[in-house]
Amino acid sequence: MLSVKIGRLLGKVYPLFLLGLGLLAYGLWLNRLGFYWDDFPLIWIARTYGAEGLARYFSTNRPFWGLVYQATTPVLGADPTNWQVFALGFRLASGLLLWQLTRLAWPRHEETARWAGALLVIYPGFSQQFISVVYGHMLLVLTAFLASQVLMILALRRAQSSLALLALAWLASAVNLLCMEYYFLLDLARPVLIWAALSQTAAFAALAPKAKLRKTLMLELPFFLLLVGVTAWRTYG
């Protein structure tokens, strides 16, 4: 009984818990860290050549990602603390979105969802959070990917605003796919999430297996076409 009460309380304050966890793990040193690894050339290019230099730098491999850098570097400037806060903010955002995604797809596994969000924030296998310019943008893209999945599931549950939410989910997926290739294969998990989310409804549960598969694939189709199109553009464009 006590563990249930603690779980319910933690569920109510989980975003604050995750914020505290992130601050304890990374925030105590934010104002003492500098630039590292590829942070130096990126900040130098931004300060020396501006938006045109960044566009040229990314033009041969990730042109759309270069547009994101063109938007962030004038705002955050050359202060390392700004970039550390930027990277930590998107680390926390991605953790919150993974928590939300897991609990939406599998609502009976709230504790698992909380663990998933916490592990994303302080996953010990990732030890380069301090490289804030580079990984801050990578975490921004991861946030877009997770936001796409969350918006998609919300669309499946809200008939009145489903088209608007699906459009936003598709746009967030486009941001992920156009920026970089690191999370391409993760997008292939979308049909599993669609199936899991629909399985919570009585109408879907009443369908025959083939009908369930057909409905899942029809909902996946716009996102799959986007994935194929971006892959072809990145490969042959």
Side-chain angles (χ1 to χ4, degrees), residues 42-224:
L42 289 167
I43 294 298
W44 180 81
I45 291 170
R47 293 199 65 183
T48 306
Y49 298 105
E52 182 181 350
L54 287 169
R56 187 180 305 174
Y57 177 80
F58 286 103
S59 62
T60 58
N61 53 4
R62 297 167 180 156
F64 192 87
W65 205 27
L67 296 177
V68 180
Y69 275 86
Q70 290 177 56
T72 56
T73 49
V75 176
L76 299 178
D79 186 343
T81 302
N82 293 342
W83 288 102
Q84 294 294 336
V85 173
F86 170 80
L88 178 56
F90 279 105
R91 185 89 182 246
L92 293 172
S94 60
L96 282 171
L97 284 168
L98 182 60
W99 165 63
Q100 188 73 293
L101 174 62
T102 307
R103 67 201 295 259
L104 283 172
W106 296 281
R108 296 181 181 179
H109 298 277
E110 178 66 35
E111 185 176 354
T112 301
R114 290 196 293 267
W115 275 109
L119 283 174
L120 196 154
V121 170
I122 58 168
Y123 175 59
F126 177 64
S127 59
Q128 297 181 326
Q129 177 69 25
F130 58 89
I131 307 173
S132 56
V133 179
V134 173
Y135 283 106
H137 286 89
M138 290 186 179
L139 289 166
L140 184 156
V141 177
L142 177 60
T143 298
F145 163 76
L146 292 170
S148 172
Q149 306 283 357
V150 169
L151 288 166
M152 177 193 67
I153 293 181
L154 289 176
L156 299 179
R157 296 191 173 184
R158 300 180 183 179
Q160 292 182 344
S161 56
S162 61
L163 289 178
L165 289 171
L166 280 173
L168 289 174
W170 193 88
L171 289 174
S173 180
V175 171
N176 164 46
L177 296 172
L178 288 168
C179 279
M180 57 189 303
E181 65 282 354
Y182 281 22
Y183 310 119
F184 263 46
L185 292 181
L186 286 178
D187 208 75
L188 296 177
R190 194 180 295 271
V192 177
L193 294 170
I194 293 173
W195 185 290
L198 290 177
S199 296
Q200 311 303 321
T201 65
F204 187 78
L207 295 176
K210 288 185 178 180
K212 291 180 179 180
L213 180 60
R214 188 182 306 112
K215 185 170 184 177
T216 300
L217 293 179
M218 286 300 296
L219 290 168
E220 159 68 8
L221 184 60
F223 297 96
F224 181 73

